[in-house]
Amino acid sequence: MTEFAEAMNDTATRTVTLDRPLVRGEQTLETIQVRRPKAGELRGLNLRSLSELDYAALETLLPRITTPMLTKQDVAELDPSDLMQMGTEVVDFLLPKRIRAALPQA
């Protein structure tokens, strides 16, 4: 696999395992896929607000980039730790490669 393909594979989609599963009627969501947003999906949003994990910005963006698609009501029902997990994935997606490369690896 090429370096570019590895980088895209590594960062295109992330799976977030919820600390507290989200219940929608009879469906229970234990994991959510969060994918790298495209520029158009950031419309109407302030990048600084996203980088600060602003709730309103995440509430708008997450329905655009999650599978299964979260609604605004779903976002409101998330445990704060789960919202934080998804928000940190979003922030990581927004960082340039050179900055991510300089960060310590977990």
Side-chain angles (χ1 to χ4, degrees):
M1 187 179 283
T2 67
E3 183 177 320
F4 176 76
E6 287 174 0
M8 290 307 294
N9 187 35
D10 181 45
T11 61
T13 304
R14 309 264 174 84
T15 299
V16 174
T17 301
L18 302 178
D19 288 340
R20 293 190 173 226
L22 187 62
V23 178
R24 282 183 178 168
E26 294 183 21
Q27 181 184 23
T28 301
L29 304 175
E30 295 181 3
T31 62
I32 304 290
Q33 295 283 324
V34 180
R35 79 174 160 70
R36 174 186 292 281
K38 295 183 177 148
E41 292 165 323
L42 299 172
R43 72 187 173 285
L45 296 172
N46 180 312
L47 293 179
R48 182 175 179 173
S49 294
L50 283 171
S51 70
E52 294 173 347
L53 300 175
D54 177 72
Y55 175 82
L58 290 171
E59 178 189 47
T60 300
L61 180 62
L62 288 174
R64 299 175 184 175
I65 63 169
T66 54
T67 304
M69 186 183 94
L70 296 178
T71 64
K72 285 188 174 190
Q73 182 61 37
D74 291 333
V75 175
E77 296 293 324
L78 287 170
D79 187 79
S81 65
D82 295 325
L83 179 64
M84 190 70 141
Q85 285 187 83
M86 285 188 237
T88 55
E89 295 299 347
V90 168
V91 170
D92 190 55
F93 286 140
L94 299 177
L95 293 174
K97 284 184 197 179
R98 65 181 170 77
I99 293 175
R100 271 199 321 267
L103 294 174
Q105 299 298 314

